Amino acid sequence: MTQTVDDLRNEIRRAVGRYEREESTAFTKEALAAICDAVTYEIDTNRLPPKSQMRAGILWKIGVLDEDTSDKTERPFRKEELKSIAVALQNED
């Protein structure tokens, strides 16, 4: 069965020690920070950067983006990006 965007988000949340969500929702800053940590993208945890910066850094660290450029990530992750993140997190184990 094909995973939905919500399934992928919850899989990623579980992989980084965050709780699953019942409702459909994009990642919070805290969840993005946990993903950054899991893919070894360094951020200032005292003052979290904008979501777009964290999304760009995550995609850059897993090889989806060629550079850490937040202008390409102003929107929540697309399904293919979520799949790539889930695979990268599985490979970290």
Side-chain angles (χ1 to χ4, degrees):
M1 187 158 125
T2 305
Q3 287 184 302
T4 66
V5 168
D6 293 334
D7 293 336
L8 289 164
R9 284 185 186 133
N10 279 330
E11 179 181 331
I12 293 165
R13 285 182 179 108
R14 283 190 307 273
V16 298
R18 304 295 296 177
Y19 59 92
E20 292 183 48
R21 296 233 171 173
E22 296 286 325
E23 69 279 352
S24 177
T25 182
F27 292 115
T28 62
K29 276 189 160 188
E30 292 77 13
L32 286 170
I35 299 167
C36 286
D37 184 51
V39 299
T40 65
Y41 179 67
E42 303 258 340
I43 59 169
D44 179 2
T45 55
N46 292 323
R47 186 159 197 261
L48 293 176
K51 286 183 174 185
S52 60
Q53 181 182 342
M54 289 190 281
R55 284 191 294 262
I58 291 164
L59 294 177
W60 172 66
K61 288 298 277 188
I62 66 170
V64 172
L65 292 179
D66 292 333
E67 56 187 343
D68 177 9
T69 310
S70 60
D71 64 335
K72 296 179 182 175
T73 55
E74 290 295 325
R75 41 122 184 101
F77 292 122
R78 303 274 193 242
K79 187 172 186 177
E80 291 305 313
E81 294 167 337
L82 290 168
K83 286 180 184 178
S84 296
I85 295 166
V87 167
L89 292 174
Q90 288 174 353
N91 293 336
E92 292 290 316
D93 292 336

